[in-house]
Amino acid sequence: MTHEIGSIEEHDLRSVWPHEEYDFTKWLMENIDHLTAKLGIEVEDVSHEEAIGSFSADIVGTEMNTGRPVVIENQYQMTDHDHLGKLLTYSAGKDAGFTIWVAENFRPEHKSVLEWLNESGPKDVRFFGIKPRVISIDGTEARGFEFEIVVEPNDWERELTGDLSETERTYLEFYEALTEAYSQQRSDWYKLTPQPQSWLVFGAGIGGVSLGWAFHQGPEFSVELYIDTSDKERNEAIYEALKQHQNEIHTNLADFDEELVWQRLPEKRACRIKCPRSIPDKLSELSTEERDQLVRWGVDTMNQFHDEFESRIADLGI
């Protein structure tokens, strides 16, 4: 059976968002996950026109799994020196870990600059060139949208190609297997790019509230909800609002092999709700079979945990 293939037509961003700052940048802020999912990262605390000296960056946020600032500079039409200068100024001013230039078209010279920065620039900064595309098929009125990666760091995270300790490499390999398995379980989940560290988190619907996996002393591996909005009173209000439904939550998650642990953490700013699983040794000492079992447990437990808490978080209104 053969299918007819339509012709794609590309349209200017202005055909959908007439004004770069007031329309497209606003839309991008509200739909930042469409961009970050393309890059395999998770960004929170997103702000618009944040002051950097006497200038204002288009979009600034924080990458959840590294804690590093993210700077995004938008530009309609072809890249130019003015926006390149702004991009580098904002990146330096925020000590960004992720610097993203979003433009409809990239001059070869500017593409080469981003590639050179990834190759020879600051070792802990990643530079991206991203082309937003508005398309239609066979002249229809309906519009599609996508982000195309024009420039990205070599092998994405350059530090992962360098020298890692045995522990870091073990964490990286474990979370690579876990994210692959979880993305197959939930097709709507934005697959993240793991880092060589003991935890991996993603947004839970409210800024500062995240779902994730983490290794703790014990040793243990846990699936958890971590609440840290930078405001201790608000963190505790969210925690207490959820705790009011503790019995119902425990009943819904009765199939868990382990009990939920509620941690208000009064000595800290954050609060946490976790489902911990004891493990016989640190991750690097576990056998391949034990790690595979831990991946399966992490996927199955998070799947239920995600379903249980996602809607509750969305309904809080705090």
Side-chain angles (χ1 to χ4, degrees), residues 10-20 23-25 27 74-77 102-105 130-135 144-147:
E10 194 157 345
H11 304 270
D12 292 340
L13 293 183
R14 292 187 193 278
S15 67
V16 177
W17 298 281
H19 194 280
E20 177 189 322
D23 298 317
F24 181 68
T25 299
W27 176 88
N74 298 329
Q75 180 180 359
Y76 276 2
Q77 301 181 335
V102 179
E104 289 183 275
N105 289 288
I130 304 295
K131 177 179 178 177
R133 301 179 67 218
V134 173
I135 59 176
F145 181 81
E146 67 176 3
F147 286 108

Side-chain angles (χ1 to χ4, degrees), residues 1 40 49-50 66 70 85 89 111 113 127 130 158 162-163 189 206 210 221 231 236 271 274 295 302-303 311-312 316:
M1 179 179 178
E49 293 295 324
E50 181 168 326
T66 61
V70 177
T89 299
K111 183 172 178 287
V113 169
F127 291 87
I130 304 295
R158 285 175 305 168
D163 294 330
W189 185 66
I206 294 179
S210 59
F221 178 57
D231 182 333
E236 293 178 350
C271 301
K274 68 176 182 176
V295 166
M302 178 59 80
N303 199 34
S311 60
R312 293 183 183 276
L316 282 179

Side-chain angles (χ1 to χ4, degrees), residues 30-95:
E30 295 172 350
N31 297 273
I32 195 69
D33 54 343
H34 289 285
L35 173 60
T36 57
K38 185 70 175 180
L39 306 181
I41 62 176
E42 187 87 0
V43 176
E44 63 177 355
D45 299 331
V46 178
S47 62
H48 172 47
E49 293 295 324
E50 181 168 326
I52 300 175
S54 59
F55 299 96
S56 297
D58 283 345
I59 299 175
V60 174
T62 302
E63 205 286 313
M64 292 174 61
N65 283 290
T66 61
R68 297 298 306 280
V70 177
V71 169
I72 301 173
E73 176 69 6
N74 298 329
Q75 180 180 359
Y76 276 2
Q77 301 181 335
M78 186 74 72
T79 55
D80 57 42
H81 286 357
D82 177 60
H83 283 82
L84 173 60
K86 291 178 180 177
L87 180 79
L88 298 180
T89 299
Y90 303 153
S91 182
K94 294 299 294 184
D95 189 24

